[in-house]
Structures are given as C-alpha cells and as structure tokens.
Amino acid sequence: MAQLVKRAYKYRFHPTPEQAEQLVRTFGCVRLVYNKALEERTRAYTLEGRGVSYTESSAALTGWKKTPELAFLCEVSSVPLQQTLRHLQAAFANFFAKRAGYPTFKSRKRSRASAEYTRSGFRWRDGRLTLAKMDTPLDIVWSRPLPGGAEPSTVTVSRDAAGRWFVVLLVEEKIAPLPPVEQSTGLDAGLTALLTLSCGEQIANPRHERRERRSLTKAQRALARAISDAGWRELRRMLEYKTAWYGRTLVVVDRFFPSSKLCSVCGALQEEMPLSVREWVCACGAVHDREVNAAQNMLLAAGLAES
Ligand SMILES: [Zn+2]
C-alpha cells in the first residue's frame, strides 16, 4: 500500500550579497532569541520553580521587538524566530521526558547557523524558492530533482563552518511499494568500498565522508573504519526504512558472523584474514575477492536466517 512520507532534500545554493547579509542577520537574531528565551526559562525554573510555555516565550518576543535595544529583530522574518522558540520548547520537552540534557546556549562559533521557515515564511512558485524579506529567489543548485509536483512544507537554510550555504526542503511524498521479485542481494559493509554487493558491484564512499575521514584523528584511524559508527548506524537506518517503503525485506546478519573468513564456495573457515589481504585462494581452489566473497556469505547467511 502506498504511504505518505516526509522527505528532506538538501541542496547547495549561492546567495547574492544582499541575501547573504539578510541570512547572516537572521541567523544572529535566531541565536539571540533562542538564548534570551532559554535564559528566561532558566530564571523562571530556578527562581520560581515554574515552566514557561511556548505562548509565553512568543509573547516575550513581541515585547522584545518593541524595545529600542532589540527593535532590530523586526528587520528579519518573524517565522524563523518563532520556529527557534518551538525548537526550544521541544528541547525542554525532551529534557523533562529525560530524553536529553538541559538545553544549552547557541554559540556563534560552535553552533550551526541556521534558520527554519514554515509555509508563511517563503514563496514557492514554478520551482523557485523566495524567502520572506527577500525579493529574488534563491539560486539553488538542483543536484537532483524534487519529485514532480512536490511542494515544500518547511525550508531550512544553513551555512557550514566552511562558509557553504545549504537549503533543506521538506516535502510530502507518496511512496508506492515496488513489484515483488524473487531476487536477493547480499551486502557487506567494508573498508575500501562503502558496500560490496554479492553480484560484485561496489558502492563507493560518498565524497564528504572521505573528506571527514581525512580529518579523523590518528587514534580513530587505528580503528581502521572507513566511516564512523554513527555513519553505519545511519546507513542501517536508511536501509531499514527504504526497504519498508518499497516492500522489500532486510535481514541483518549478526556482526560477529565471520563473513570475511568463510569460503563462499565450500564453506571452509580460514583461521586468519588480515585486513591487508584483498584477494585469496581457498584450499578448494576458489579465488576470492575479499569483499565480494564476504557479501556472498552474507547472502547465504541471510537466506538461512530467513528460513
Ligand atoms: Zn573453499
């Protein structure tokens, strides 16, 4: 059955000098409003032992805009300011539910500069996105197409530490399962390739992962991991929901299964398989590429787990 899911599409964009100035100012106001509201909530909590609601924070924001010192808050769109108060509200909800620590201040240096716009904060026309307080659309690099007829419901603009600009469009999409097939594929998460398929195809690491990897410390490099544990968890999470979307079954094999040490032809277990060995010959005569053999073993193991 088709299901409705929200999907995020992330793109680079190149702001004009005016847009960049407006966005930098908006990021600054978002940070200020978040920090001031956090300060106020902390004061109310520690001194008066009471919680502060979103509505109360929102009313305080209206008050701040009327003071001469904070009148500049009116120069940016009010939508990202309201959104940051909602984020703070969610952060407190998580804190009280013991899902997260106490919210911390946003730092100009350490926090990601971003602003979130809901439907009233942007215009979407003929595939062009114009943010509130701007009169020209953003020059987005459409590295992949948005699904036909998709209308973003939320737009988040950010700038990373390297000064690159990104926009994330949240769109609702109808996902239909694919027709059933008999085929299965074994996957082995590896070192040289991100994934190796049992048919021999390899999927390389995305470029940004490689860049991150270069900046990893020596100690982490000694773990000999191509991508971080967080990266693997994310990959697993994506495989899980995507297989569910498309009507496919994902079978996860125990991490201690010796996929590299088994011969996928005769089943003989090798005593050792150092990481430096990329190709090997089994006593049965089979010649193996280390990772393709591991992926074929995963396919066999998953088949057994299934039956
Ligand atoms: Zn063998």
Side-chain angles (χ1 to χ4, degrees):
M1 216 172 28
Q3 47 182 328
L4 222 47
V5 295
K6 285 211 166 173
R7 276 180 103 164
Y9 288 81
K10 187 175 183 176
Y11 304 97
R12 293 273 303 267
F13 74 98
H14 304 291
T16 64
E18 294 76 27
Q19 289 172 338
E21 204 240 296
Q22 176 68 24
L23 287 171
V24 167
R25 201 184 313 174
T26 305
F27 294 161
C29 291
V30 164
R31 196 171 55 236
L32 181 140
V33 164
Y34 186 95
N35 288 345
K36 262 187 90 63
L38 171 56
E39 205 180 306
E40 174 52 26
R41 276 176 179 260
T42 304
R43 196 195 59 75
Y45 183 61
T46 51
L47 295 184
E48 302 164 30
R50 67 179 183 94
V52 172
S53 66
Y54 164 76
T55 321
E56 218 176 313
S57 288
S58 179
L61 169 60
T62 310
W64 299 336
K65 286 180 173 176
K66 286 178 184 151
T67 64
E69 313 83 72
L70 295 175
F72 62 85
L73 290 176
C74 300
E75 293 168 18
V76 304
S77 164
S78 62
V79 177
L81 305 185
Q82 300 287 352
Q83 283 307 101
T84 203
L85 291 180
R86 288 198 176 88
H87 294 158
L88 182 62
Q89 173 74 28
F92 269 95
N94 285 334
F95 166 68
F96 287 122
K98 297 193 163 58
R99 284 189 297 264
Y102 195 81
T104 54
F105 288 114
K106 280 188 195 290
S107 136
R108 180 204 286 270
K109 283 206 176 123
R110 289 185 308 277
S111 309
R112 197 175 65 108
S114 72
E116 188 178 286
Y117 296 78
T118 48
R119 207 62 195 85
S120 57
F122 63 88
R123 197 168 65 230
W124 176 258
R125 202 162 290 161
D126 306 323
R128 286 154 78 83
L129 176 73
T130 310
L131 298 177
K133 301 272 182 184
M134 291 185 189
D135 35 67
T136 48
L138 294 185
D139 178 12
I140 297 174
V141 183
W142 297 104
S143 44
R144 57 173 172 159
L146 268 191
E151 289 254 341
S153 58
T154 307
V155 167
T156 306
V157 177
S158 66
R159 196 179 57 167
D160 70 6
R164 292 172 304 181
W165 296 84
F166 296 94
V167 60
V168 174
L169 310 178
L170 202 63
V171 301
E172 208 163 69
E173 242 179 279
K174 201 179 256 177
I175 307 266
L178 296 169
V181 287
E182 284 302 317
Q183 222 174 323
S184 304
T185 301
L187 301 175
D188 187 65
L191 300 170
T192 47
L194 179 68
L195 288 174
T196 301
L197 277 54
S198 50
C199 58
E201 190 185 327
Q202 295 201 314
I203 297 161
N205 272 321
R207 198 157 34 126
H208 65 174
E209 288 285 1
R210 277 209 297 276
R211 204 164 26 227
E212 259 172 37
R213 188 157 47 129
R214 226 175 290 148
S215 67
L216 284 181
T217 62
K218 247 188 193 156
Q220 279 171 307
R221 271 205 298 271
L223 288 165
R225 289 248 156 183
I227 64 173
S228 63
D229 281 346
W232 290 123
R233 271 199 299 278
E234 178 63 12
L235 183 67
R236 161 97 178 260
R237 193 186 66 81
M238 290 198 274
L239 280 172
E240 274 168 7
Y241 73 71
K242 285 187 192 227
T243 45
W245 281 357
Y246 296 114
R248 297 294 184 252
T249 312
L250 179 72
V251 179
V252 178
V253 174
D254 187 284
R255 60 182 298 189
F256 297 110
F257 175 68
S259 60
S260 307
K261 289 186 187 166
L262 282 173
C263 169
S264 57
V265 176
C266 72
L269 180 68
Q270 316 299 307
E271 249 169 57
E272 296 215 345
M273 191 52 65
L275 286 172
S276 55
V277 175
R278 311 315 306 168
E279 254 189 34
W280 56 283
V281 184
C282 178
C284 73
V287 181
H288 291 304
D289 171 284
R290 177 199 187 88
E291 282 164 346
V292 175
N293 175 61
Q296 283 164 347
N297 280 326
M298 295 301 262
L299 180 59
L300 295 168
L304 287 177
E306 272 270 80
S307 63

